[in-house]
Amino acid sequence: MTVPNVRPPSLVDELNDLKRRIAALERRPKLGSVNQPLPYGSFQTPVLEGNVGAQFTHSLGVVNSTGLNQPVLICLIPFAIPQTVGGTAPLDVSVTVWIRDMVTGGKTAEFTLDKTSDMAAPNNGFTRTLTFSWVHPQPVGFDDEHEWKGFAIEYRVNKRVVDSGEDLTVRMGNPLLITGVPVDTYEEEMTNGNPRIGGGLTPTDGGPVEWV
């Protein structure tokens, strides 16, 4: 039996999808209405805060990813291993670091930094970088309905030491670089974030690394 004034289900779905697209277009930033973000990196690597223990999760900070329209997150975080008095050897300290998507709860693989992460003498104690190349699960595009999105850089303190009266663990600064890129831009992209020390990037097209 035909029910009057009832549209076929397919037409209803098409109208709803059209409404969603129109709403997305209305939310799309107008040219010149959004500030252009500029990357900032700090050369300071203060000692990380927080109690020791697997039950404690601490946060270095949050990346505001609202408006992100690229499915790969590149993040470089500076760190340094504190040294004994006179800088002769690294101290026995340790932290484990990862990045968490605050929308889906997805996480990168964890990476542990300890005294073996230090550079060899005579460059021990110098700042190095922890690099992530994450094919992340966060929704992207201007038609994403989330009003705010973010990535949390989190860590766990495994070991602290007191040296010359100072309570120490791994030193870590604000990220030197946070950027989104298309999938298959770099060979090092992985769904687990591929965390690694140093972490050079290899363009898939064989060209130089570019950020614009």
Side-chain angles (χ1 to χ4, degrees):
M1 181 175 108
T2 302
V3 179
N5 299 323
V6 175
R7 299 185 181 90
S10 59
L11 179 57
V12 172
D13 291 343
E14 289 180 10
L15 288 174
N16 287 335
D17 186 61
L18 181 60
K19 289 178 181 178
R20 181 188 65 81
R21 291 174 179 273
I22 291 174
L25 287 171
E26 291 175 346
R27 290 195 303 271
R28 184 177 58 183
K30 294 181 174 61
L31 184 62
S33 66
V34 178
N35 292 332
Q36 176 66 47
L38 298 175
Y40 169 79
S42 173
F43 292 104
Q44 300 295 318
T45 50
V47 173
L48 287 173
E49 302 176 347
N51 295 328
V52 173
Q55 70 271 37
F56 300 113
T57 296
H58 312 286
S59 180
L60 180 69
V62 171
V63 178
N64 185 340
S65 58
T66 306
L68 176 67
N69 61 1
Q70 298 293 357
V72 179
L73 180 74
I74 306 294
C75 184
L76 279 64
I77 306 171
F79 74 91
I81 306 300
Q83 307 290 299
T84 58
V85 176
T88 56
L91 293 170
D92 187 17
V93 295
S94 172
V95 301
T96 299
V97 186
W98 64 92
I99 301 177
R100 176 175 58 87
D101 171 20
M102 300 177 72
V103 176
T104 67
K107 294 168 48 178
T108 66
E110 298 182 353
F111 193 92
T112 297
L113 301 170
D114 55 26
K115 63 181 180 180
T116 65
S117 306
D118 197 14
M119 298 183 74
N123 297 320
N124 50 304
F126 282 23
T127 297
R128 308 189 76 181
T129 56
L130 173 62
T131 302
F132 292 85
S133 305
W134 189 18
V135 182
H136 62 81
Q138 193 172 96
V140 298
F142 67 84
D143 60 343
D144 170 33
E145 296 181 355
H146 290 85
E147 294 183 0
W148 188 92
K149 298 184 294 185
F151 294 102
I153 301 174
E154 298 179 329
Y155 65 91
R156 180 172 58 249
V157 180
N158 306 314
K159 291 182 182 180
R160 304 187 75 95
V161 298
V162 176
D163 186 73
S164 300
E166 189 176 4
D167 186 11
L168 301 169
T169 189
V170 175
R171 301 179 183 274
M172 185 168 287
N174 294 323
L176 296 170
L177 175 72
I178 307 169
T179 191
V181 299
V183 168
D184 293 331
T185 300
Y186 300 109
E187 294 182 3
E188 293 78 11
E189 301 164 13
M190 292 187 183
T191 54
N192 72 352
N194 190 18
R196 59 210 185 276
I197 294 175
L201 295 168
T202 309
T204 55
D205 63 2
V209 175
E210 297 180 355
W211 301 121
V212 294

